Structures are given as structure tokens and as C-alpha cells.
């Protein structure tokens, strides 16, 4: 499809630096095409304030603001939590699993609007370009995708600010506080500026840096106790109060943030081959992953737990690489669902100065048997049986050693 054939473009719009300047850029470079902006509300909060006025003022014909928070939580966050999936054992996938739900809605609106193309503001260096475009391919393989960062002459965020100022595009940032951020219900990421050097300690106590909580040093000197209730691996209640997932996560963000929970400083391997450094705020996610893992120690048998750890790593990599809508991810989710059938119970936690501490766990499906596990005298376990078990378990080693002696 040639540029002149593009009459209407649906833009993934956040109101941030990249997508703000893309609206006038599209109109300049694609024959004054109509730009329909779409903002997915996945929990950005006040970032959505004034967005419609800004989008229209900078050239969009309209702005959709789509509330996807519940779908995001129930169909993307919780299945990933059930899997225990992280990327490179640390990253809780906050940006990664938000992209497929956003892209899916983009495609739905693009089809309803009879748009000729979908546009995103992801850079050619990042992971998000892959995540967005793979999701678009899954739902609209024929749709043209426009990625301005792969076309325009702008080379840096400084030049983006220059372009915005020249085109009277209002910005909420300045050149001194120009961190690249991504915020949703699950997390807030910080990249750029002083964080590009891994030798620099993040300025957690600098006013305005942290937005979801405080540093551990600034947290209260007394711990906060909470109780989480899970049903089939999904959190359903906080301190005995049933609530939907979105509200539960928001409540845990407040509790965790106030206690300095969930700060992660990572150097991760991007899909495109480079390493990048980011600082993440993830209070609710840190608490929920810890609670879920504690409950699984009670409810999962050894073989399932150990195999699930392998699957979790694969799941995390698939999500990070943008492969949510793939047969393998769906198959792993089906396996995970079976493992969660009896992951039901209550986990009590102590939140204290950045730490999430196990304070007790119960489950009606617990596989822990105190009578068997006790160090005191019992009537159900004959310790003499272990001698034969060890002889058979170690037989291959014994045969090999005897063979070497010969």
C-alpha cells in the first residue's frame, strides 16, 4: 500500500512525547490523512486527564478512551500470575502483557473505523514494536502498520521535544525530567537519563522520582499485616473482603507502596539483542507473586511444582517477546490452569521496609502433613524404610563407581 492510499490511520495514543508528535507528523507525511487516536485505559490514572482536548488540538479527528482495566487484569495479569511467570527471574512483565490487550482493541477499532493503517510510537530499539505488531498480525494480518521511529529523521528524545515545540504540541515533561516512563495498573517503569549508566544508584529518595510509593528507608518503622485469599490460584479477597481483581491490585499498590515494596533495578536482555537498564515500581505484583508462591508450596506436589518452574520461565519469555497470541502460550496456560485447581487458601504476609515476609499460610487442600513431617515420635513413617530407598536411588552411582574401580 502506497502512502497516497492511506486516508485514515488509527493511532495507539498515550499523550506522551512520542505519540503526541506523531499526530502532526502523520498528517504532514501521509497526505493530511485522518488520524483517529485510541487511548487504552489500563490504569494510568491521572495521565488520562485532558487527553481528548490535547489529541484534538494536535490534529486528531477523535479520541477513543477505552477502559480495559478489568480485561487486562482477568485475562492477562492473573493467568501470568498463576503461571508464576517472570522474565529473567525478575521482571514482572508490566509493560509486556499490557501490549496485547491494547493492540487487540486497536484492531477492533481500526476495523470499525475502516482504517487503512494502524500506527504506534514504539522505537526501533525496543520490545514494544514487536509486541504491538505481532498482536496486530494475529487479528488483522492484512493491516498496514506505520512505525514513525523507523521512518522519520528524528534521532533522540531531545529532537522530539524540538519537534513538539515547533508544532505547538503541549508536553507535561521538560528536558531535565525526561525519563521514559510506562505506567499501568500493574507497574511503573523508568528508563533514560542517569539510569542509562548501570553504575548509578537510582535516586529513590529524590522528590518526584517514585510515584507509586516510597523507598524502604522512608517506610514506616512498624510492619503492616495483610491476608490474601486465593481461589484456584487467583486472588479474590484482601483481609477477608471480597473484591474484583482491579480493585484488589489498586489496594495492594497503596499498601505495598506505603511500605517500600516492589522496587526493582534491572539490566535485562531486550528481544532486539541489546541490554537495557530500567527501574520498576511494582508493589501489588511483588506482593501477589510472593503470596501465590507461598500457597503453591502447600498445594502442589513436588513433580508438578518443579516442572511448573520450567514452564514459568518459558511463559515469561513468550510474554516478553510479544507472543501472547500463539499456540504455545495458549497450551502452557491450559497446563497452568490444571495445576491451579487446588491452589486455594489464605496467605498472611508482613510488609516491612521493602520486604514481603511469610506470616502463615493455610489451605483446605494442603499436602503438608504435620504428623509425617514432625521431628517428634510418630506412627505413620518408619524411618528404617529409607535405607532401602537410598540403596535403590543410589544404585546407578554405586555401579558406576564399581566399574571405574575395575
Amino acid at each position: 500500500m502506497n502512502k497516497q492510499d492511506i486516508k485514515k490511520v488509527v493511532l495507539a495514543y498515550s499523550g506522551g512525547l512520542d505519540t503526541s508528535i506523531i499526530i502532526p507528523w502523520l498528517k504532514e507525511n501521509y497526505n493530511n490523512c485522518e488520524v483517529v487516536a485510541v487511548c487504552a485505559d489500563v490504569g494510568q490514572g491521572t495521565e488520562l486527564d485532558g487527553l481528548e482536548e490535547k489529541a484534538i488540538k494536535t490534529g486528531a479527528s477523535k479520541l477513543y478512551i477505552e477502559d480495559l482495566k478489568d480485561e487486562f487484569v482477568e485475562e492477562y495479569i492473573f493467568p501470568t500470575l498463576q503461571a508464576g511467570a517472570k522474565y529473567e527471574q525478575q521482571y514482572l512483565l508490566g509493560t509486556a502483557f499490557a501490549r496485547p490487550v491494547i493492540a487487540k482493541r486497536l484492531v477492533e477499532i481500526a476495523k470499525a473505523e475502516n482504517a487503512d493503517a494502524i500506527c504506534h510510537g514504539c522505537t526501533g530499539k525496543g520490545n514494544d514494536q514487536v509486541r504491538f505488531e505481532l498482536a496486530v498480525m494475529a487479528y488483522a494480518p492484512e493491516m498496514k502498520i506505520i512505525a514513525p521511529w523507523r521512518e522519520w529523521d528524528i534521532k533522540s528524545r531531545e529532537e522530539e521535544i524540538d519537534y513538539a515545540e515547533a508544532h505547538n504540541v503541549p508536553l507535561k515533561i521538560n528536558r531535565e525530567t525526561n525519563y521514559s516512563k510506562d505506567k499501568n495498573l500493574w507497574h511503573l517503569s523508568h528508563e533514560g537519563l542517569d539510569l542509562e549508566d548501570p553504575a548509578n544508584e537510582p535516586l529513590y529518595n529524590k522528590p518526584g522520582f517514585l510515584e507509586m510509593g516510597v523507598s524502604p528507608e522512608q517506610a514506616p518503622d512498624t510492619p503492616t499485616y495483610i491476608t490474601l485469599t486465593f481461589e484456584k490460584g487467583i486472588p479474590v479477597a484482601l483481609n477477608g473482603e471480597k473484591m474484583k481483581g482491579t480493585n484488589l491490585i489498586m489496594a495492594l499498590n497503596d499498601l505495598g507502596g506505603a511500605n517500600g515494596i516492589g522496587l526493582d533495578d534491572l539490566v535485562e536482555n531486550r528481544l532486539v539483542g541489546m541490554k537495557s537498564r530500567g527501574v520498576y515500581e511494582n508493589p501489588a505484583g511483588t506482593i501477589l507473586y510472593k503470596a501465590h508462591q507461598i500457597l503453591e508450596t502447600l498445594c502442589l506436589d513436588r513433580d508438578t511444582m518443579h516442572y511448573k518452574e520450567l514452564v514459568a520461565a518459558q511463559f515469561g519469555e513468550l510474554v516478553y517477546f510479544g507472543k501472547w497470541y500463539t499456540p504455545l502460550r495458549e497450551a502452557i496456560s491450559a497446563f497452568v490452569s490444571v495445576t491451579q485447581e487446588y491452589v486455594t487458601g489464605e496467605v498472611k504476609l508482613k510488609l516491612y521496609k521493602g520486604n514481603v515476609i511469610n506470616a502463615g499460610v493455610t489451605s483446605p487442600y494442603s499436602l503438608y502433613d504435620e504428623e509425617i513431617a514432625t521431628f517428634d515420635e510418630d506412627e505413620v513413617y518408619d524411618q528404617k524404610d529409607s535405607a532401602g530407598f537410598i540403596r535403590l536411588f543410589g544404585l546407578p552411582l554405586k555401579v558406576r563407581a564399581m566399574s571405574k574401580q575395575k
Side-chain angles (χ1 to χ4, degrees), residues 241-304:
E241 180 184 350
K242 286 249 184 183
M243 57 182 73
K244 70 176 183 178
T246 301
N247 294 341
L248 189 145
I249 288 173
M250 290 192 292
L252 287 177
N253 277 333
D254 291 341
L255 289 166
N259 284 279
I261 305 295
L263 299 180
D264 286 309
D265 181 1
L266 313 178
V267 174
E268 66 202 51
N269 290 294
R270 284 183 180 171
L271 175 56
V272 293
M274 70 184 74
K275 290 184 182 290
S276 67
R277 195 268 188 100
V279 170
Y280 298 93
E281 299 181 58
N282 216 140
T286 301
I287 294 168
L288 286 171
Y289 266 71
K290 179 70 171 182
H292 182 260
Q293 180 266 329
I294 291 170
L295 184 58
E296 284 194 327
T297 64
L298 218 59
C299 301
L300 293 187
D301 66 277
R302 180 188 64 196
D303 289 351
T304 300

Side-chain angles (χ1 to χ4, degrees), residues 76-86 93 232-233 289 292 296 300 305 307-316 319 324 329 332-333 335-337 339-340:
Y76 298 83
I77 292 179
F78 283 169
T80 306
L81 170 67
Q82 286 178 303
K86 302 176 184 179
L93 301 165
K232 296 186 176 182
Y289 266 71
H292 182 260
E296 284 194 327
L300 293 187
M305 177 180 287
Y307 189 75
K308 186 172 176 286
E309 289 173 354
L310 303 176
V311 168
Q314 179 70 72
F315 193 111
V319 176
W324 186 273
R329 200 282 307 163
I332 293 176
S333 285
F335 163 78
V336 169
S337 293
T339 70
Q340 300 300 288

